[in-house]
């Protein structure tokens, strides 16, 4: 088995940070669906502004609000307005790795979808 890029939300803007929440990242339901993510799925977060990299899990936010909210300890890793990449991986057999087509959702500065790409 090998871990491969499955999906990502590219250049999401952090809209909120809630230190007093139990943990995770809240993502607008529309963006979850567009990126083919699942609630509870482990994701890596890469903060373009400060270089932080960390892992957490997805929770569902309200559809259409365009929220990207870091919760709990993750709230210390970014500030409102920071640009992040939200990355999901999948474990596949070596045989299937070359068949995988990662799903990339490019966002604008207001977390609206600019483009969706499936890479070969």
């Amino acid at each position: 088995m090998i871990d491969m890029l499955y999906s990502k939300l590219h250049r999401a803007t952090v809209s909120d940070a809630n230190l007093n929440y139990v943990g995770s990242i809240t993502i607008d339901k529309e963006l979850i669906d567009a990126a083919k993510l699942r609630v509870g799925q482990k994701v890596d977060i890469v903060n373009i502004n400060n270089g932080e990299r960390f892992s957490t899990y997805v929770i569902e936010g309200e559809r259409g609000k365009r929220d990207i909210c870091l919760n709990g300890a993750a709230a210390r890793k970014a500030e409102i307005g920071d640009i992040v990449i939200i990355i999901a991986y999948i474990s596949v057999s070596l045989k299937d790795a070359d068949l995988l087509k990662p799903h990339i959702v490019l966002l604008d500065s207001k977390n609206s979808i600019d483009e969706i790409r499936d890479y070969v």
Side-chain angles (χ1 to χ4, degrees):
M1 300 295 283
I2 185 171
D3 293 333
M4 299 287 293
L5 173 65
Y6 165 74
S7 178
K8 74 176 178 175
L9 289 165
H10 190 73
R11 297 188 63 84
T13 302
V14 176
S15 59
D16 198 6
N18 184 352
L19 185 61
N20 295 315
Y21 191 82
V22 176
S24 66
I25 184 169
T26 303
I27 302 173
D28 177 306
K29 172 67 168 139
E30 185 176 336
L31 300 179
I32 288 173
D33 292 346
K36 300 181 181 179
L37 298 173
R38 288 164 176 74
V39 172
Q41 182 176 8
K42 179 181 177 181
V43 291
D44 285 347
I45 311 297
V46 179
N47 186 326
I48 293 173
N49 291 74
N50 65 19
E52 288 279 359
R53 297 180 71 99
F54 56 95
S55 298
T56 189
Y57 60 93
V58 174
I59 63 172
E60 183 178 308
E62 186 177 331
R63 182 180 291 278
K65 283 191 71 179
R66 301 294 183 253
D67 284 338
I68 300 292
C69 178
L70 295 170
N71 301 302
R76 298 254 189 228
K77 302 288 188 178
E79 295 188 24
I80 295 171
D82 281 0
I83 306 300
V84 297
I85 303 170
I86 303 164
I87 306 166
Y89 302 94
I90 190 168
S91 293
V92 296
S93 69
L94 289 173
K95 173 180 87 163
D96 292 332
D98 292 335
L99 303 175
L100 187 65
K101 295 178 182 174
H103 193 69
I104 312 302
V105 179
L106 305 172
L107 302 177
D108 68 13
S109 62
K110 295 184 185 331
N111 292 331
S112 292
I113 298 169
D114 257 352
E115 184 180 352
I116 298 175
R117 298 179 186 169
D118 286 320
Y119 285 98
V120 187

